């Protein structure tokens, strides 16, 4: 696996001979910037296309006017323009091949880096949500425990107001037994 580029020099770990290796703008460009850069790199291709179009326009104009000699001359010019364009494309392809390979490698590294950053951001978000859920559960637990304690305190106060506490109940129970025994003897029970 290749190393990601640094901020100083893209792909500095590799020794690739390229005139664009130290130019960060070369690696971070929009479609329009790429189009203008390609026009500057290989200006002969648009020139050949322009000559071909001009020759076709001239041939069409000559055919409409009935000038067959000039039409034939323009068709030959079109062939020369197309040949020139193809030669310019092949020569440019060989000349800029190393830069295109470098560009593809850089785009692959950039795609890997973005995937790693996306994965790390996703993991951070999951961790943050997990912490939020843990905090929420702790707060719910604290609130339910506090509510339970408040209910116990309120119940104890209610029982204290009624006088039905455990000690009070025990004393009443003893008094009732004692009173029940005393009543039984007074009635003549054996």
């Amino acid at each position: 696996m290749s190393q990601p580029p640094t901020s100083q020099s893209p792909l500095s770990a590799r020794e690739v001979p390229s005139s664009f290796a130290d130019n960060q703008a070369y690696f971070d460009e929009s479609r329009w910037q790429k189009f203008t850069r390609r026009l500057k790199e290989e200006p002969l291709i648009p020139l050949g296309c322009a000559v071909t179009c001009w020759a076709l326009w001239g041939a069409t104009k000559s055919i409409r006017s009935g000038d067959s000699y000039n039409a034939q001359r323009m068709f030959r010019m079109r062939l020369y323009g197309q040949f020139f364009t193809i030669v310019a494309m092949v020569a440019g392809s060989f000349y800029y091949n190393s830069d295109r390979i470098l560009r593809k490698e850089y785009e692959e590294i950039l795609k890997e880096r973005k995937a790693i950053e996306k994965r790390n951001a996703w993991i951070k978000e999951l961790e943050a949500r997990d912490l939020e859920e843990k905090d929420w559960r702790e707060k719910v637990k604290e609130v339910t425990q506090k509510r339970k304690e408040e209910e116990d305190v309120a119940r104890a106060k209610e029982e204290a107001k009624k006088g039905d506490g455990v000690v009070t109940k025990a004393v009443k129970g003893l008094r009732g037994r004692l009173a029940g025994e005393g009543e039984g003897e007074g009635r003549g029970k054996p």
Side-chain angles (χ1 to χ4, degrees), residues 24-121:
Q24 186 65 28
Y26 173 77
F27 294 101
D28 301 327
E29 62 186 357
S30 67
R31 289 182 185 262
W32 179 253
Q33 290 170 337
K34 181 178 181 179
F35 178 74
T36 57
R37 177 181 55 83
R38 295 297 298 263
L39 282 177
K40 290 176 185 175
E41 284 178 2
E42 301 180 48
L44 298 179
I45 294 174
L47 178 67
C49 290
V51 168
T52 302
C53 291
W54 172 74
L56 280 173
W57 178 74
T60 304
K61 188 177 170 186
S62 296
I63 288 173
R64 286 188 182 180
S65 67
D67 187 6
S68 62
Y69 174 76
N70 200 20
Q72 287 295 322
R73 198 173 66 117
M74 286 295 164
F75 280 128
R76 287 187 188 109
M77 183 71 72
R78 177 190 62 88
L79 287 174
Y80 298 144
Q82 285 179 327
F83 177 75
F84 177 77
T85 303
I86 291 172
V87 168
M89 286 171 49
V90 170
S93 163
F94 283 117
Y95 184 76
Y96 289 108
N97 189 32
S98 63
D99 288 333
R100 288 190 183 116
I101 291 171
L102 176 68
R103 180 77 175 175
K104 284 182 183 179
E105 289 176 0
Y106 177 76
E107 287 174 357
E108 289 174 7
I109 291 169
L110 194 61
K111 185 188 282 186
E112 289 175 9
R113 182 188 293 168
K114 285 182 180 180
I116 289 171
E117 288 175 359
K118 184 177 179 181
R119 181 179 173 272
N120 289 342

Side-chain angles (χ1 to χ4, degrees), residues 165-180:
V166 176
V167 175
T168 309
K169 285 182 182 179
V171 169
K172 283 183 179 179
L174 284 173
R175 283 185 187 165
R177 283 187 200 159
L178 292 174

